[in-house]
């Protein structure tokens, strides 16, 4: 069955495409990251090479919240601005059957752009979550130390390639599924799309994508938590995952599977629901 343009059942973004995407994405990203932060902390500690207990266990599950709150809004805003803009541009040259490829290309480009903000924030957040810095070392001090000791590429943007290799496949799965579920919703249920139904579509697509890309997330976490110089010794993603499988088996490769899927399923519901709700509000008040 050919896919129709899903925007016919979504709230119109109107003339202010960029501002609508920026504001809606920023609101959605901030809400979901703050609400579900403890689950993300537990996932990070389960994936840490030091082990769950040594990385803090269930203690201080809000460690690293500040950099996350500061970075989530601009990261999500930048992502959705890129995604919606590219989708609107590419859709003009695509047939209905080619729309999934438009969504995949738009999501991949958006992830790469968003990683320019996401990677430094992730480094500060995960090092605080895993209690790698003693005392009350701030996120800015962590990032400055990484930049001063190892430079821009190996310090501040350590794991950039691995993060892109995790997030792009994730989005290549999640966003076409999300758009497809939205397109099918009115036909299957006989009801119009609402923020609640958009949230449900986001939860299902996010949970599927999260489960399939967990090994990539494990490798990314190991690289970001590595000590100075150790990341070079660890090698690439394939080598890291082979080493984890040799030491801990398939359970090690999929470490943090349950909290990751739970976090992103719940996060997908909140994220896409808030995004759609904010879009509708902005569209309704566009003239003001």
């Amino acid at each position: 069955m050919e896919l129709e343009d899903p925007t016919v059942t979504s709230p119109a973004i109107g003339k202010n495409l960029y501002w609508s995407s920026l504001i809606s994405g920023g609101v959605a990203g901030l809400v979901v990251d703050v609400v579900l932060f403890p689950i993300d902390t537990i996932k990070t500690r389960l994936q840490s090479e030091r082990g769950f207990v040594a990385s803090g266990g269930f203690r201080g599950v809000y460690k690293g919240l500040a950099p996350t709150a500061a970075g989530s809004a601009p990261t999500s805003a930048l992502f959705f601005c890129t995604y919606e803009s590219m989708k609107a541009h590419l859709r003009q040259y695509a047939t209905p059957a080619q729309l999934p490829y438009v969504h995949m290309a738009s999501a991949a480009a958006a992830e790469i752009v968003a990683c320019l903000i996401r990677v430094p924030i992730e480094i500060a957040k995960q090092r605080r979550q895993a209690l790698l810095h003693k005392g009350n070392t701030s996120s800015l001090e962590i990032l400055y130390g990484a930049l001063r000791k190892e430079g821009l590429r190996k310090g501040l943007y350590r794991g950039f390639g691995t993060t892109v290799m995790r997030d792009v496949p994730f989005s290549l799965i999640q966003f076409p599924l999300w758009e497809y579920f939205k397109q099918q919703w009115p036909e299957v249920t006989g009801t119009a799309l609402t923020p609640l139904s958009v949230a449900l579509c986001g939860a299902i697509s996010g949970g599927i994508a999260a489960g399939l890309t967990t090994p990539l997330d494990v490798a990314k976490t190991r690289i970001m938590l590595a000590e100075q110089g150790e990341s070079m010794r660890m090698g690439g993603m394939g080598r890291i995952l082979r080493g984890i499988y040799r030491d801990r088996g398939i359970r090690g490769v999929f470490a943090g599977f349950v909290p990751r899927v739970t976090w992103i399923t719940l996060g997908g519901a909140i994220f896409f629901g808030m995004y759609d709700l904010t879009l509708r509000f902005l569209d309704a008040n566009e003239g003001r």
Side-chain angles (χ1 to χ4, degrees):
M1 178 184 295
E2 288 190 348
L3 293 178
E4 298 176 358
D5 188 340
T7 56
V8 299
T9 54
S10 299
I13 296 177
K15 299 177 182 178
N16 300 317
L17 172 66
Y18 301 106
W19 285 113
S20 297
S21 303
L22 279 169
I23 296 171
S24 301
V27 170
L30 180 62
V31 170
V32 71
D33 282 345
V34 171
V35 171
L36 299 179
F37 188 80
I39 300 177
D40 182 45
T41 300
I42 293 171
K43 183 269 300 181
T44 297
R45 292 174 179 179
L46 285 169
Q47 294 176 346
S48 173
E49 190 173 10
R50 299 166 63 209
F52 179 70
V53 176
S55 297
F58 291 102
R59 295 181 291 108
V61 292
Y62 280 97
K63 283 284 186 180
L65 177 60
T68 299
S72 59
T75 300
S76 299
L78 188 59
F79 175 91
F80 266 108
C81 182
T82 305
Y83 177 74
E84 296 288 2
S85 301
M86 279 203 65
K87 188 173 72 171
H89 176 71
L90 295 176
R91 195 169 53 228
Q92 305 173 58
Y93 309 101
T95 64
Q98 294 172 332
L99 284 177
Y101 303 107
V102 170
H103 302 148
M104 293 171 73
S106 302
E111 286 291 4
I112 294 172
V113 172
C115 279
L116 295 174
I117 300 177
R118 180 181 296 136
V119 170
I121 296 298
E122 285 269 301
I123 288 175
K125 178 194 75 172
Q126 292 196 324
R127 291 189 175 188
R128 295 198 69 185
Q129 286 177 326
L131 304 182
L132 294 182
H133 294 268
K134 297 180 179 180
N136 294 318
T137 306
S138 69
S139 300
L140 288 177
E141 289 173 326
I142 292 173
L143 292 177
Y144 175 72
L147 179 63
R148 181 171 55 85
K149 293 177 182 178
E150 300 180 78
L152 186 66
R153 185 173 66 87
K154 296 180 181 179
L156 203 60
Y157 280 95
R158 176 193 293 183
F160 181 85
T162 311
T163 304
V164 169
M165 290 174 67
R166 176 201 66 175
D167 289 350
V168 168
F170 178 87
S171 288
L172 290 179
I173 298 170
Q174 183 187 36
F175 276 84
L177 283 176
W178 179 57
E179 299 281 9
Y180 176 75
F181 291 154
K182 287 196 301 175
Q183 188 268 332
Q184 291 293 315
W185 182 273
E187 180 180 339
V188 173
T189 66
T191 60
L193 273 175
T194 65
L196 182 60
S197 56
V198 171
L200 183 59
C201 294
I204 297 172
S205 60
I208 294 171
L212 293 175
T213 58
T214 295
L216 307 181
D217 187 53
V218 172
K220 187 273 304 180
T221 299
R222 289 292 183 90
I223 290 175
M224 286 190 168
L225 295 182
E227 297 291 339
Q228 180 181 359
E230 187 181 354
S231 59
M232 296 297 293
R233 177 188 61 79
M234 295 172 70
M237 180 179 291
R239 182 178 173 184
I240 292 172
L241 291 175
R242 285 195 297 271
I244 295 172
Y245 180 77
R246 185 174 58 251
D247 295 338
R248 301 188 182 182
I250 196 67
R251 294 183 63 180
V253 173
F254 280 88
F257 178 87
V258 173
R260 174 172 165 80
V261 171
T262 302
W263 167 51
I264 294 182
T265 298
L266 295 174
I270 299 171
F271 186 80
F272 287 110
M274 284 297 302
Y275 180 73
D276 187 74
L277 186 64
T278 308
L279 270 184
R280 290 172 187 269
F281 175 80
L282 293 175
D283 185 62
N285 293 273
E286 185 178 356
R288 296 185 180 181

